[in-house]
Amino acid sequence: MLTVAPSRYRIVLRGRLSEHFESAFDGMALEPGPNQTVLVGEVRDQAHLYGLLDRLRDFGIELVAVESTSAAAVVDAEGGSPHGPGT
């Protein structure tokens, strides 16, 4: 059985979100910038990522970009070694 290791993501949003939104995004940190906010943090798997994106949609927050800042390693759940992309 294969599992995907958590990855660090940057989710760029249009506009500045107030800090009270931080609790709505499962431990993601808010980094305010000029005319944008960046959510940064670990995403466990694709279901977690889609949940975050659904929440942004539900709040009516405009999505600018989604970036994985670390390569997700595929790890054999039975104790095998990690494999990078393309290996």
Side-chain angles (χ1 to χ4, degrees):
M1 175 183 209
L2 295 177
T3 59
V4 177
S7 295
R8 189 160 181 82
Y9 273 82
R10 293 181 76 247
I11 301 173
V12 183
L13 312 170
R14 185 159 329 276
R16 292 183 59 117
L17 299 183
S18 68
E19 291 182 10
H20 82 271
F21 277 102
E22 197 161 10
S23 64
F25 295 107
D26 299 332
M28 302 288 281
L30 288 177
E31 295 179 355
N35 302 315
Q36 70 179 20
T37 302
V38 180
L39 289 174
V40 179
E42 293 291 319
V43 175
R44 295 181 300 275
D45 53 25
Q46 280 197 334
H48 183 206
L49 177 60
Y50 284 118
L52 291 169
L53 296 176
D54 285 346
R55 192 162 297 138
L56 290 168
R57 182 202 59 221
D58 292 347
F59 285 134
I61 298 168
E62 187 177 345
L63 181 65
V64 174
V66 177
E67 305 167 343
S68 174
T69 59
S70 61
V74 177
V75 180
D76 184 336
E78 295 174 358
S81 61
H83 305 281
T87 59

